[in-house]
Amino acid sequence: MHHPIILITNDDGYQAKGIRVLIEEMRKIGGTVIAIAPRVGKSGMSHAITFNEPLRLRKVESAENYKFYEFSGTPVDCVKMGLDKFFKKTTLKPDLLVSGINHGSNASICCIYSGTVGAAREGAVNGIPSIAFSLTDFHADADFEPYRSHIQTITRAMLAQNTLPTNVFLNVNFPKVENPKDLKEIKICRQTKGVWIEEFDKRTDPQNVDYFWLMGHFDNYEPEATDSDEYLLKQKHTTVVPLKIESTDMEALGILQKMIK
Amino acid sequence: MHHPIILITNDDGYQAKGIRVLIEEMRKIGGTVIAIAPRVGKSGMSHAITFNEPLRLRKVESAENYKFYEFSGTPVDCVKMGLDKFFKKTTLKPDLLVSGINHGSNASICCIYSGTVGAAREGAVNGIPSIAFSLTDFHADADFEPYRSHIQTITRAMLAQNTLPTNVFLNVNFPKVENPKDLKEIKICRQTKGVWIEEFDKRTDPQNVDYFWLMGHFDNYEPEATDSDEYLLKQKHTTVVPLKIESTDMEALGILQKMIK
């Protein structure tokens, strides 16, 4: 694919370092790049959409074959606005949607809560090959340099293929490495089974009213599973997990037919 | 199960009519009922969580074996708070989580965007049998009376069973009926394939700045599929779809291993 159209978003907001790196990498591919990212950070927004309040769109910058907007909605709203504004009245559609690079891991069960992954899922819902990219380092100044070649490898493979079902999208995580040489090769693997255990931090405000901060820690149900993303990230591999758009558990249909009469 | 502990939430907010009906039905079962619902409407919040702002919890009412709180977070935050506040320091856990009754359909792809379904998914993530209930009528004064017996049938079956995998939860939708006699029996079925086509409604504010309302219409990819929830709802059946917690597409692993090297 010589001149692909690539749609980009993220959930950390348009000013995040991660989306800048992703825009640079996508512009190297030589097609058209359209980026629409949230006005402010929208981490943890999952697949949320905004229909109860008006939304605002503003152009940030543009160049030949490149446009960058900020939008007041969620990451999924950004995908919807991108498709509506640039493609609805054309016969074109994006050849690829990429989301990220997220500042923070979206491995294991985090993919359920993630706005970065939500945006990629929305791409897949619309039949667009889609990839979520995340780095296991939540700092605003995280170093994305070691991962540029892996981004190119995965993106170009996704653009070249026509065998992946359209209801499948990729959840890519990069391990934080102290030295670029520590980064190991890309591994295709599965989502780790685990759960976030909540611990609300209760405090009292100056008016003597309680409030809570959502906190938690990750409980890995299978820390020794060598084919799981958490394990491979700890070994400093880049991980690629194919995720499905959520769908019916066909095996459970028979159980339920006996259960509910 | 004689005295189950049932956790309840919704996404329309604690003052919605739908959660009142659900609380009444759950209290009839004769166990302990704990309801924690959003302070304001949180429709379309999917599986979103709130960790960047403080959250507030307030008791609305209580009676013997019954407590009702409102919480300033999302539906998934409500589930997390319920588990943290009432169960973390005990050996107990809820026997069932129910979410709804939503004012509006959550059939087909709507389950991806729904806060009602998000809350049930969060229950399943925590290993709790979970059900999302929705009515295909978004009006605030929707009539929930025709569905009370179906709620009892499905809830009691879920409490009595021990065969459904813990990573599966139920997405139940009730068809709007003009006459209670029009309601047909419960059908176990699968999620309809389809997509929401967006149409942002562009307007201009008094300061002459553009803004957008997210709108859209549902495009059913398989309107004639007799085993799909949309079809069966049109026939006035109550539909029960077993949904999986999102997970790896194992078939795609092999494709990707050839694709990305």
Side-chain angles (χ1 to χ4, degrees):
Chain A
M1 193 173 291
H2 289 303
H3 299 292
I5 305 174
I6 301 177
L7 189 59
I8 305 182
T9 191
N10 77 344
D11 79 355
D12 291 315
Y14 78 102
Q15 297 187 89
K17 187 175 174 185
I19 195 168
R20 284 283 168 190
V21 175
L22 200 51
I23 288 170
E24 287 169 15
E25 291 303 315
M26 294 303 114
R27 292 185 73 188
K28 287 180 187 170
I29 290 171
T32 298
V33 167
I34 300 169
I36 302 188
R39 178 164 297 180
V40 294
K42 294 279 183 183
S43 292
M45 286 303 280
S46 183
H47 213 97
I49 53 173
T50 309
F51 50 78
N52 286 329
E53 51 187 275
L55 297 169
R56 304 280 189 167
L57 183 71
R58 185 177 68 85
K59 190 184 278 187
V60 177
E61 59 190 35
S62 63
E64 195 181 346
N65 297 325
Y66 168 61
K67 292 188 180 75
F68 190 9
Y69 288 79
E70 54 95 336
F71 191 43
S72 61
T74 66
V76 171
D77 291 330
C78 289
V79 175
K80 289 181 179 293
M81 175 50 87
L83 295 178
D84 186 80
K85 184 173 175 68
F86 296 103
F87 299 96
K88 199 174 70 177
K89 290 174 183 162
T90 75
T91 55
L92 298 170
K93 65 185 237 179
D95 297 294
L96 185 71
L97 181 145
V98 294
S99 177
I101 306 167
N102 192 60
H103 294 241
S105 171
N106 281 317
S108 187
I109 196 71
C110 292
C111 67
I112 285 189
Y113 306 98
S114 162
T116 305
V117 177
R121 188 189 299 107
E122 181 67 16
V125 167
N126 283 279
I128 303 163
S130 298
I131 312 170
F133 289 106
S134 306
L135 171 61
T136 62
D137 181 351
F138 61 83
H139 292 95
D141 65 347
D143 179 15
F144 294 97
E145 294 307 314
Y147 315 100
R148 288 184 184 265
S149 84
H150 282 184
I151 292 170
Q152 288 294 330
T153 300
I154 295 164
T155 301
R156 288 172 190 266
M158 197 68 167
L159 283 168
Q161 64 86 29
N162 59 7
T163 50
L164 206 64
T166 54
N167 67 337
V168 173
F169 61 101
L170 305 188
N171 185 26
V172 176
N173 281 272
F174 302 116
K176 183 179 176 180
V177 290
E178 297 304 322
N179 186 322
K181 289 178 183 170
D182 295 338
L183 180 64
K184 292 188 188 153
E185 73 273 21
I186 298 165
K187 289 281 192 185
I188 314 300
C189 58
R190 64 178 176 80
Q191 180 183 325
T192 310
K193 292 180 173 61
V195 67
W196 277 85
I197 308 290
E198 271 63 53
E199 293 162 355
F200 282 92
D201 181 9
K202 182 175 172 178
R203 301 186 182 187
T204 305
D205 72 16
Q207 283 75 41
N208 211 31
V209 181
D210 291 338
Y211 63 99
F212 301 85
W213 290 104
L214 175 56
M215 298 172 60
H217 65 272
F218 176 64
D219 184 11
N220 187 339
Y221 289 166
E222 44 175 14
E224 307 302 325
T226 56
D227 61 342
S228 69
D229 56 358
E230 288 287 347
Y231 181 93
L232 290 163
L233 284 164
K234 283 210 173 55
Q235 307 297 317
K236 305 298 181 191
H237 288 283
T238 291
T239 59
V240 178
V241 175
L243 291 179
K244 279 191 274 201
I245 300 172
E246 186 174 49
S247 62
T248 311
D249 186 328
M250 299 305 281
E251 290 169 25
L253 286 177
I255 298 170
L256 281 171
Q257 270 150 359
K258 287 175 202 158
M259 200 179 105
I260 301 174
K261 283 175 183 168
Chain B
M1 193 172 294
H2 289 303
H3 299 293
I5 306 174
I6 301 177
L7 189 58
I8 305 182
T9 192
N10 77 345
D11 78 356
D12 292 314
Y14 79 102
Q15 297 187 88
K17 188 174 174 184
I19 195 169
R20 284 283 168 192
V21 175
L22 200 51
I23 288 170
E24 286 168 18
E25 290 304 315
M26 294 304 114
R27 292 185 72 187
K28 287 179 190 171
I29 290 170
T32 298
V33 167
I34 299 169
I36 303 187
R39 177 165 297 179
V40 295
K42 294 279 184 183
S43 292
M45 286 303 279
S46 183
H47 213 96
I49 53 173
T50 309
F51 50 79
N52 286 327
E53 51 187 273
L55 297 169
R56 303 281 189 166
L57 182 72
R58 184 177 70 84
K59 189 184 278 187
V60 175
E61 60 191 34
S62 63
E64 196 181 345
N65 297 325
Y66 167 61
K67 293 187 179 76
F68 190 8
Y69 289 79
E70 53 97 334
F71 191 43
S72 61
T74 65
V76 170
D77 290 331
C78 289
V79 175
K80 289 179 178 294
M81 174 51 87
L83 295 178
D84 186 82
K85 183 174 175 67
F86 296 103
F87 299 96
K88 200 174 68 178
K89 290 173 185 163
T90 75
T91 56
L92 298 170
K93 65 185 237 179
D95 297 294
L96 184 71
L97 181 145
V98 294
S99 176
I101 306 167
N102 192 59
H103 295 242
S105 171
N106 281 317
S108 185
I109 195 71
C110 292
C111 68
I112 284 189
Y113 305 98
S114 163
T116 305
V117 176
R121 187 188 300 108
E122 182 66 17
V125 167
N126 284 279
I128 303 163
S130 299
I131 312 171
F133 289 105
S134 306
L135 171 61
T136 63
D137 181 352
F138 61 83
H139 292 96
D141 65 347
D143 179 14
F144 294 97
E145 293 308 314
Y147 315 101
R148 288 184 184 266
S149 85
H150 281 184
I151 292 169
Q152 287 294 330
T153 300
I154 295 164
T155 302
R156 287 172 191 267
M158 198 67 167
L159 283 167
Q161 63 86 31
N162 59 7
T163 50
L164 205 64
T166 54
N167 68 335
V168 173
F169 61 101
L170 305 188
N171 185 25
V172 176
N173 281 272
F174 302 117
K176 184 180 176 179
V177 290
E178 296 305 321
N179 186 320
K181 289 178 183 170
D182 295 338
L183 180 64
K184 292 188 189 154
E185 74 272 21
I186 299 165
K187 289 279 194 188
I188 314 298
C189 59
R190 65 177 175 80
Q191 179 185 326
T192 310
K193 292 180 173 59
V195 67
W196 277 85
I197 308 290
E198 271 62 55
E199 293 162 358
F200 282 91
D201 182 8
K202 182 176 172 177
R203 301 187 183 187
T204 305
D205 72 17
Q207 283 73 42
N208 210 32
V209 180
D210 291 338
Y211 63 100
F212 299 86
W213 290 103
L214 176 57
M215 299 172 61
H217 65 273
F218 176 64
D219 184 10
N220 187 338
Y221 289 165
E222 44 175 13
E224 306 302 326
T226 57
D227 61 343
S228 70
D229 57 357
E230 288 286 347
Y231 181 93
L232 290 163
L233 284 165
K234 284 210 172 58
Q235 307 296 317
K236 305 296 180 192
H237 288 285
T238 291
T239 59
V240 178
V241 175
L243 291 179
K244 278 191 275 201
I245 301 172
E246 186 174 52
S247 62
T248 311
D249 186 327
M250 299 306 281
E251 291 169 26
L253 286 177
I255 298 171
L256 281 170
Q257 271 150 358
K258 288 175 200 158
M259 200 178 105
I260 301 173
K261 283 175 182 166

